[in-house]
Amino acid sequence: MTANLKRTMRPTRLRIFCSLFFIVAVVALLGPISCSRAIGQRSGESTSEDGHGNRVDLLRASGPTPSPLPCPGCWNPSTASENFDWLTPPALPPDWLATNALGPPPLWVTSDSGRPMPPADTAPNALFIDDPAVVSDKRLDGWFLDFFEDCCVRLTFRHNFNLEASDVDSNLGFDGGVLELSTDGGNTFEDILSAGGSFVMGGYNRTIATDRGSPIAGRQAWSGNSNGYITTVVNVPTIQKQGRLRWRMASDTSGGNEGWRVDSLYMTWCVGMGTPCPSPTPSPTATPTPTPPPRASCPQYTITEGAGTIVPGSTDTGNHCVWCSTLITLPFPFVLYNQAFNAVNVTSSGRLAFVCDNEPDGYRERCLPASPYNCGYDFTIFALWYEWGTLTYPEGCSTWANGCGIFTSISGTAPNRVFNIEWHVIDRKDSIQTGNFEVRLYENDPNQRFDVVYGHSQKKPFTPPVAGVQGPPEFFTQDFCNVPAPQNSSLIYQLEPCATPTPTPTPTATATPRATPRQRPIPHPRPLPP
């Protein structure tokens, strides 16, 4: 698993040993998790590699059919991603098809330079199409989709557009981009909304004029200037036959602009639908005293005290700001929650975001699990989440010879290196107050280890709200929340194997409710592909 995660579709699997019944009961009876160390878990995580990142064929991706499970309903949550950085521009991924139904060249290509700026969300490449001053209809047919008996498909992507639009009517566009979906293998397409999809965030912002000859006249679309990369999240409707996604840009009879760039595609879905969990049916005469069952111990991170100290960072990542992030390349693939990553967003507010960049969001700290903001906080290490800044104010930044910022270094030798990411930060509201902490990522560690090391704070103890790690939905391990952070200490995070929980006996109950499975139809087996 050394390839770029965003390049290939790599659904990874964890066998699901734990009953969702226990998780639901805990949430219902215990309520919100307290602001101390807490551990959460998910029903499973699945990835494997199909080789090129071009086709989502869930039967092939999922490997051997898992043994039928009575619970939970989703056998294997899965992901796929693509950032085009492994390609040499202007090449597209294999099986992706660019066509101009109308208008002159160029076609859709991959690009590493030019406008609109910046040229890529993750350097060096992004998809690009121009916006000419004549009528055009430029189409890019991307991922094939096959979600037979699967569900809950969500697509996230980043895009940067500057397309001709009205200067006086903020709701009117002249040239625009749309997302379309085919449910018959790419023969016919319709708008993602018409096909039954819905935008979670970053949806269409204008309606295309009907009097200028645009091929998408009257439709909702992305138009105008996004002023850099924005995030779009869309719920993709269920596809029982082979489907395909299309990005389409259309222009009108006059005027043009810089064009449209698309990058950082990320898709999640649920592979296979099992029999839903049974609902408990208590005896009519039962008067039990309910006792919450224990939290299941599925694959999750545990925290132990360590003896490490901060290894000074020597390479400046260029992060000198407030509520911002910087994408850096890792010197080796790092595995978090059984997913391999080759790059990470380091944030001024004390987080490592491996999948989705939520900045600017440094002022919205909350206890784990953190709810989505720009996008989900899946696969995030919260080293010391607070309203920090890495600006170069002399009052606090003079604490360090190299000033404020985020700095990196490498310890050890391959294949057992450690990548050190060190923060020199000041309190955004009081630049005299400083913080110094570090995350250490381990290469090829069997327990997917990382450390969080806290140094000494200046002037007075600092009290950031949260530290811990959050993985796929429902999986998280919180170290602390809204309590003073430790100083001059080290914590070791390791992913432990799933263990079967032992229920606590129910005290003083006159009867014990039993879960009576309801009669459910047996799912039809998945047909083998040709």
Side-chain angles (χ1 to χ4, degrees), residues 22 39 57 118 166 169 180 188 214 223 231 260 318 361 377 385 395 399 417 428 432 478 481:
F22 288 114
I39 297 176
D57 186 326
S166 172
D169 185 350
E180 297 184 333
T188 60
S214 170
S223 186
T231 301
W260 187 17
D361 192 29
Y377 283 94
W385 192 12
E395 301 96 315
T399 301
R417 292 169 290 178
R428 187 193 65 84
I432 296 177
Q478 180 173 278
C481 183

Side-chain angles (χ1 to χ4, degrees), residues 334-379:
F334 174 70
V335 181
L336 184 72
Y337 286 103
N338 294 286
Q339 296 255 23
F341 298 93
N342 288 306
V344 65
N345 288 291
V346 296
T347 75
S348 59
S349 49
R351 305 191 312 267
L352 293 182
F354 288 88
V355 169
C356 191
D357 180 14
N358 265 293
E359 293 293 359
D361 192 29
Y363 55 91
R364 296 177 182 267
E365 314 89 51
R366 53 264 198 199
C367 297
L368 301 185
S371 57
Y373 180 61
N374 291 319
C375 48
Y377 283 94
D378 294 8
F379 301 98

Side-chain angles (χ1 to χ4, degrees), residues 389-401 403-404 424-435 457-460:
T390 54
L391 298 169
T392 54
Y393 287 104
E395 301 96 315
C397 295
S398 59
T399 301
W400 304 278
C404 289
H424 297 171
V425 290
I426 55 175
D427 189 322
R428 187 193 65 84
K429 294 168 287 188
D430 184 357
S431 60
I432 296 177
Q433 311 307 320
T434 64
S457 63
Q458 305 296 316
K459 305 298 183 184
K460 65 180 181 181

Side-chain angles (χ1 to χ4, degrees), residues 292-363:
R295 183 176 294 276
S297 183
C298 280
Q300 59 196 10
Y301 278 88
T302 60
I303 305 174
T304 56
E305 300 292 334
T309 58
I310 287 180
V311 177
S314 56
T315 300
D316 189 341
T317 64
N319 187 285
H320 301 286
C321 48
V322 176
W323 304 331
C324 66
S325 66
T326 302
L327 182 70
I328 63 173
T329 301
L330 301 176
F332 50 79
F334 174 70
V335 181
L336 184 72
Y337 286 103
N338 294 286
Q339 296 255 23
F341 298 93
N342 288 306
V344 65
N345 288 291
V346 296
T347 75
S348 59
S349 49
R351 305 191 312 267
L352 293 182
F354 288 88
V355 169
C356 191
D357 180 14
N358 265 293
E359 293 293 359
D361 192 29
Y363 55 91

